[in-house]
Amino acid sequence: MKQTMKRISGTLIVIALLSGLTGAFAFSLASKAINGNQSGTSTPDESLVEEQGIMTLSKDDSMPTQHIDLTKAAEKACTAVVYIKVTIAGEKRTIEYSDPFSDFDDFFGEFFGRRGQGGTQRRQIETPKRQGAGSGVLISSDGYIVTNNHVVENATEIAVTLNDSREYTARVIGLDPDTDLALLKIDGSDFPTLTIGDSDALKVGEWVLAVGNPFNLTSTVTAGIVSAKARGMGANKGGIESYIQTDAAINAGNSGGALVNARGELIGINAMLYSQTGSFTGYGFAIPTTIVKKVVNDLQQYGKVQRAMFGVSGMTLHDYIEAKKAEDEQKDVKEKDKFKADFGTNEGVYIAEVTPDGAAAEAGLKEGDVIVSVDGKKITKMSELQESTTKYHPGDKATVGYIRDKKELTTTVTFKNSQGGTKVVKPQNFETLGAEFKELSDALKKDLKMSYGVQVTSLSEGPLKKAGIEKDFIIMQVNNQNIKTVSDLESAFKSAQNSETRTLFIWGKYPSGKTGSFAVELGDE
């Protein structure tokens, strides 16, 4: 028994020694490989290294070993990201309701010679105030703040709180629903700011920080990587979408906050999240600074965004091909008659329609062409085309590359404004309508048997008078919207300025009961 134990112990010692020698040999090889690379001497044969289970990297494939420090970027962003609290005033509304006692009133009213009101009564109510919250980013030391349009739209009060708890009242400089961006201003100086970086230089896989105020928790920082660029989500119907997609957590309240690169530069404004639960479940989306810079500059200089109209409608080429294939399958088309996807390219934007007399039509582009570049920048999908053209103003020119009949061609496009001209469209003040207004008093509503309206109290030279509207006319609808207050009329005026027609279609009545409808053109200036 003792001899057996001695033999077993001896075997274990030999195994342990062999293992030690093997480890020492491996360590020696690894040390030589490392020292050899540092001193310029030759490295062990790769096959030998692989056989021994040792990993080594060639100089071309070596990965950086430095640690990515995001603390400085986070510190910069936190001081420049603000908390925005908005208040939306209640509205006065006239509601109709059924009165259960009205039938008795009608019966006895007829008996005593009074006319009943039927079964319907009217009552004026006021809806309660609403409040919301979001984030914003200070982009200048004198107090300009960029945020999302949906954060401040329709707000009657906007309160801004800085990271150091200072509080300010903000005013709206301009809104742009098409890109979901807004520019605010607070009074003061020496505010902390974020440098606006170049989102075009951003790479997929790059580390980013999302900074904002989710769930009313101020100065919250989350980290992630860029998952995709120029992502279109279809959430902003008719708007411009070319989002930076990131897996940095974005939740309710992050809207309008900063997406920051590792250098602490602003490269996007957080706008939305993709979720089936209402909270973060994987991806957030930010508006890139290529779009932000153009919108901010236009709002500061002109008060509205100068949209360069291309004059085409279409879709990503790949989506068009898939849609045509699906259409053939649904119709059970014979093989010889099926759609043939032979464009000479697999990437680009397919032109489905060209606006007559538009910029693209004048440049010679046609239905069926595939746009592949704008001023040398490669275009692979519709969101990239939208992002590329946002930087231009009406009257600007761009070289557009396209494919027709499998041949790559170029043309020069001169962008137009929404009215078909090439001039910058400047917004008008509400006063340029050349009129003064007042809301109908309760007494006047009763006399005229009207429940709402805004009356023209005076007229001077301007669009209203030119259209044929006279003093005392009561405006009841503008562009199919009921006008109950002067603020309603001003909102309709601002919306019309941003429309393609720039026209107020007005309907209403005179005190005599005569109705009237007018088309008031606002013009370009």
Side-chain angles (χ1 to χ4, degrees), residues 193-257:
T193 65
L194 271 179
T195 301
I196 299 179
D198 182 9
S199 58
D200 274 348
L202 197 64
K203 295 181 179 180
V204 173
E206 187 174 334
W207 279 96
V208 289
L209 299 176
V211 186
N213 305 285
F215 310 116
N216 293 340
L217 301 172
T218 57
S219 302
T220 298
V221 180
T222 55
I225 62 167
V226 175
S227 307
K229 294 178 65 179
R231 182 74 80 195
M233 296 296 292
N236 189 7
K237 299 298 182 183
I240 296 169
E241 292 189 341
S242 185
Y243 295 113
I244 300 168
Q245 179 181 318
T246 172
D247 65 357
I250 294 175
N251 284 292
N254 267 110
S255 291

Side-chain angles (χ1 to χ4, degrees), residues 383-445:
S383 56
E384 291 177 346
L385 178 62
Q386 287 185 325
E387 184 178 347
S388 294
T389 56
T390 55
K391 66 182 181 182
Y392 297 101
H393 290 94
D396 288 348
K397 298 179 185 295
T399 301
V400 174
Y402 64 100
I403 291 178
R404 179 185 296 170
D405 298 328
K406 301 182 187 179
K407 295 179 182 179
E408 188 163 350
L409 307 168
T410 60
T411 186
T412 300
V413 173
T414 302
F415 294 104
K416 296 190 174 186
N417 59 35
S418 57
Q419 285 76 54
T422 56
K423 292 182 179 179
V424 168
V425 179
K426 297 180 181 178
Q428 299 172 347
N429 294 323
F430 186 53
E431 292 75 15
T432 59
L433 286 176
E436 293 183 354
F437 310 93
K438 73 173 183 180
E439 296 160 16
L440 296 184
S441 65
D442 291 337
L444 191 56
K445 289 177 185 176

Side-chain angles (χ1 to χ4, degrees), residues 3 81 103 131 135 163 167 223 236 249 265 299 319 338 360 362 368 398 420 445 451 461 473 483-484 493 507 520:
Q3 291 295 327
V81 173
D103 292 337
Q131 290 188 325
S135 306
N163 188 55
E167 296 183 359
N236 189 7
E265 297 170 334
L299 292 178
D319 294 343
K338 283 186 178 180
E362 290 185 357
K445 289 177 185 176
S451 58
E461 293 301 322
F473 181 74
I483 303 300
K484 300 177 181 180
F493 171 78
W507 179 86
V520 179

Side-chain angles (χ1 to χ4, degrees), residues 262-283:
R263 294 181 295 278
E265 297 170 334
L266 179 70
I267 43 89
I269 297 295
N270 299 322
M272 59 181 290
L273 59 93
Y274 176 78
S275 172
Q276 296 178 336
T277 64
S279 59
F280 180 76
T281 54
Y283 295 113

Side-chain angles (χ1 to χ4, degrees), residues 134-442:
S135 306
V137 183
L138 279 159
I139 56 171
S140 70
S141 59
D142 58 347
Y144 280 99
I145 297 169
V146 64
T147 184
N148 288 138
N149 175 74
H150 74 258
V151 170
V152 296
E153 190 176 28
N154 301 321
T156 51
E157 298 176 25
I158 304 174
V160 170
T161 304
L162 271 61
N163 188 55
D164 59 9
S165 299
R166 285 182 288 170
E167 296 183 359
Y168 297 86
T169 298
R171 64 183 185 276
V172 175
I173 300 300
L175 304 172
D176 185 39
D178 285 346
T179 57
D180 194 23
L181 289 170
L183 185 65
L184 311 179
K185 179 72 167 64
I186 57 176
D187 294 329
S189 59
D190 298 326
F191 291 114
T193 65
L194 271 179
T195 301
I196 299 179
D198 182 9
S199 58
D200 274 348
L202 197 64
K203 295 181 179 180
V204 173
E206 187 174 334
W207 279 96
V208 289
L209 299 176
V211 186
N213 305 285
F215 310 116
N216 293 340
L217 301 172
T218 57
S219 302
T220 298
V221 180
T222 55
I225 62 167
V226 175
S227 307
K229 294 178 65 179
R231 182 74 80 195
M233 296 296 292
N236 189 7
K237 299 298 182 183
I240 296 169
E241 292 189 341
S242 185
Y243 295 113
I244 300 168
Q245 179 181 318
T246 172
D247 65 357
I250 294 175
N251 284 292
N254 267 110
S255 291
L259 191 70
V260 181
N261 62 20
R263 294 181 295 278
E265 297 170 334
L266 179 70
I267 43 89
I269 297 295
N270 299 322
M272 59 181 290
L273 59 93
Y274 176 78
S275 172
Q276 296 178 336
T277 64
S279 59
F280 180 76
T281 54
Y283 295 113
F285 299 89
I287 303 163
T289 52
T290 50
I291 294 176
V292 174
K293 285 187 285 189
K294 166 64 163 48
V295 170
V296 167
N297 289 337
D298 281 359
L299 292 178
Q300 284 180 320
Q301 188 172 353
Y302 305 109
K304 66 168 292 182
V305 177
Q306 302 298 317
R307 196 78 66 213
M309 309 302 291
F310 203 166
V312 298
S313 61
M315 64 181 75
T316 300
L317 178 61
H318 176 267
D319 294 343
Y320 173 75
I321 294 172
E322 292 301 308
K324 296 297 288 185
K325 288 180 179 178
E327 189 178 310
D328 285 348
E329 289 180 6
Q330 288 178 353
K331 295 180 179 179
D332 197 22
V333 177
K334 294 181 179 179
E335 186 63 35
K336 66 183 182 67
D337 297 323
K338 283 186 178 180
F339 172 76
K340 302 297 188 296
D342 191 8
F343 290 92
T345 181
N346 294 318
E347 298 179 321
V349 173
Y350 176 83
I351 299 178
E353 185 179 356
V354 178
T355 305
D357 301 323
E362 290 185 357
L365 292 170
K366 298 179 181 179
E367 178 185 342
D369 291 344
V370 179
I371 298 172
V372 293
S373 67
V374 176
D375 274 344
K377 181 178 180 180
K378 186 177 180 181
I379 302 297
T380 64
K381 51 189 175 181
M382 177 57 83
S383 56
E384 291 177 346
L385 178 62
Q386 287 185 325
E387 184 178 347
S388 294
T389 56
T390 55
K391 66 182 181 182
Y392 297 101
H393 290 94
D396 288 348
K397 298 179 185 295
T399 301
V400 174
Y402 64 100
I403 291 178
R404 179 185 296 170
D405 298 328
K406 301 182 187 179
K407 295 179 182 179
E408 188 163 350
L409 307 168
T410 60
T411 186
T412 300
V413 173
T414 302
F415 294 104
K416 296 190 174 186
N417 59 35
S418 57
Q419 285 76 54
T422 56
K423 292 182 179 179
V424 168
V425 179
K426 297 180 181 178
Q428 299 172 347
N429 294 323
F430 186 53
E431 292 75 15
T432 59
L433 286 176
E436 293 183 354
F437 310 93
K438 73 173 183 180
E439 296 160 16
L440 296 184
S441 65
D442 291 337

